[in-house]
Amino acid sequence: MRSMIAICLSFIWVQAFDYALVPKKVAEDVYCFFGAPEEISKENGGNMVNTCFVHTNEGFVVIDSGPTYAYASQAYEQMQKIAKLPVIYVIITHDHDDHWQGNSFYKSKGALLIGPRTYEQNVVAGMKTRMQRVLGKELYGQTKIVTLDSVVDNNLSITVGHQVFQIKQLTPIAHTKGDLVIYIPEKKVLFAGDLVFNDRLTSLRDGSILGSLEGLKKIDAYHAKVIVGGHGYKTDANATQALKSYLTTMKKEVIDAQEQDIGMEEITKKVVMPAFKRMKLYDVLHKRNVLDAYKELEMLEDEE
Ligand SMILES: [Zn+2]
């Protein structure tokens, strides 16, 4: 009896977090897993991010590998139900750790990892990630930090199974200092990473309000039919609108306040933007975003 209990307990122990991933088709041969518009928590296992995969006749191309090794292995199981094909490439949109911690799983399957220069600079072996801190040892499981096989500085085009993928950094800084978008011209599908948020607020902590607006403008210039952001469920041609409207309003209100000589101490009380209060994570991120925008726009004013 005691050994039975021991076996049961050890079985429970090795069971990884069940992400219950269900791929959603966003275009022909293009699927995404949509994470919840929330912060990272033990309850969601870090599944607050969108990842996608494209099925070609040679194999899969994955866009962002998600929050953990277990997440990536469960995503892979879902791909294998669609076709018994290998993952050829994994393209990482930027270096924030909700987007790439499935890398070690895909590398173990022989996939080649492509990402921005900032990944190479900021993701280093032995570092403790935010994901690791919040999830704890058990949920973080087999997740490991691995290096990229190829770095994209400006742009790169790859062809897999006759499908062309154009990878490009649109601006020197937007959500981070290294944001890649991936465009499939034949399908008019664009993977925007965290240059596009829906259903929740973005964070400007590593980015720029002006760079983000510039990035959104450049995304709209693709005239894509499908735009998938790093967070949120909206994937139509207008998927850039929510964030554009948030940042445009913030830029205007912060500049107006600066012209009225409102200081840093008062700015978060002044730029409340009530229309955006219904957005998820408003309470967590809005004030910080206003302060970041204030500092950036103030510097701009000083230069003039
Ligand atoms: Zn993100």
Side-chain angles (χ1 to χ4, degrees):
M1 186 61 190
R2 195 174 286 174
S3 63
M4 275 288 283
I5 292 167
I7 289 166
C8 287
L9 281 176
S10 66
F11 182 70
I12 292 163
W13 178 255
V14 296
Q15 283 287 299
F17 184 88
D18 181 6
Y19 286 97
L21 296 177
V22 181
K24 189 174 171 253
K25 189 172 179 176
V26 297
E28 197 58 37
D29 293 322
V30 183
Y31 302 82
C32 297
F33 302 107
F34 291 90
E38 301 168 352
E39 284 188 284
I40 300 164
S41 70
K42 279 200 158 107
E43 289 66 41
N44 64 29
N47 185 12
M48 35 63 85
V49 60
N50 300 338
T51 69
C52 300
F53 62 93
V54 182
H55 172 205
T56 79
N57 53 21
E58 248 176 64
F60 294 101
V61 173
V62 170
I63 289 91
D64 282 342
S65 62
T68 62
Y69 183 100
Y71 173 100
S73 92
Q74 290 169 35
Y76 178 77
E77 275 171 36
Q78 295 300 318
M79 284 174 228
Q80 295 304 297
K81 287 182 191 166
I82 290 168
K84 294 259 177 273
L85 287 169
V87 173
I88 314 274
Y89 291 107
V90 178
I91 307 167
I92 302 305
T93 57
H94 64 293
D95 69 2
H96 285 163
D97 72 347
D98 42 332
H99 296 262
W100 52 259
Q101 302 221 54
N103 282 0
S104 59
F105 170 79
Y106 289 112
K107 200 155 201 173
S108 78
K109 290 282 171 192
L112 292 172
L113 307 177
I114 300 174
R117 180 69 59 193
T118 44
Y119 181 105
E120 199 183 58
Q121 290 162 344
N122 300 334
V123 178
V124 287
M127 73 188 259
K128 190 150 185 173
T129 63
R130 177 182 57 153
M131 195 64 71
Q132 192 173 7
R133 275 198 306 272
V134 180
L135 297 187
K137 210 174 161 191
E138 201 178 322
L139 288 180
Y140 199 63
Q142 295 178 68
T143 309
K144 278 193 191 71
I145 287 172
V146 290
T147 54
L148 298 175
D149 296 289
S150 183
V151 168
V152 180
D153 278 310
N154 295 308
N155 54 72
L156 176 73
S157 190
I158 56 171
T159 304
V160 185
H162 311 295
Q163 193 71 78
V164 175
F165 297 80
Q166 297 171 348
I167 309 166
K168 194 166 185 181
Q169 178 161 347
L170 300 178
T171 56
I173 181 169
H175 183 66
T176 67
K177 289 193 176 84
D179 304 291
L180 301 179
V181 303
I182 299 98
Y183 186 56
I184 308 178
E186 197 201 322
K187 297 182 188 295
K188 289 187 175 290
V189 172
L190 185 112
F191 304 98
D194 280 5
L195 299 190
V196 168
F197 273 71
N198 279 292
D199 307 303
R200 56 156 283 191
L201 291 191
T202 185
S203 161
L204 291 174
R205 74 180 191 277
D206 291 330
S208 145
I209 184 167
L210 298 176
S212 296
L213 283 166
E214 182 65 23
L216 288 164
K217 206 165 143 190
K218 288 191 170 169
I219 287 171
D220 283 341
Y222 277 90
H223 299 291
K225 273 194 206 146
V226 174
I227 300 171
V228 189
H231 302 269
Y233 305 114
K234 199 171 161 66
T235 60
D236 62 17
N238 296 316
T240 52
Q241 287 311 309
L243 182 58
K244 200 186 251 182
S245 147
Y246 176 69
L247 296 177
T248 307
T249 307
M250 184 179 291
K251 181 186 163 193
K252 184 184 180 304
E253 292 198 11
V254 169
I255 289 175
D256 284 353
Q258 284 171 344
E259 279 167 3
Q260 293 163 38
D261 284 329
I262 291 181
M264 190 96 162
E265 319 73 44
E266 286 171 282
I267 191 68
T268 58
K269 284 185 220 115
K270 182 82 181 165
V271 183
V272 179
M273 296 166 55
F276 296 89
K277 269 190 174 167
R278 62 185 164 78
M279 300 274 278
K280 296 267 169 55
L281 300 184
Y282 174 93
D283 292 339
V284 185
L285 298 169
H286 180 70
K287 279 187 182 171
R288 171 75 194 266
N289 286 340
V290 171
L291 288 172
D292 286 338
Y294 187 95
K295 282 182 239 162
E296 181 183 340
L297 296 166
E298 190 181 40
M299 268 173 17
L300 199 81
E301 208 176 46
D302 291 347
E303 279 167 23
E304 277 164 8

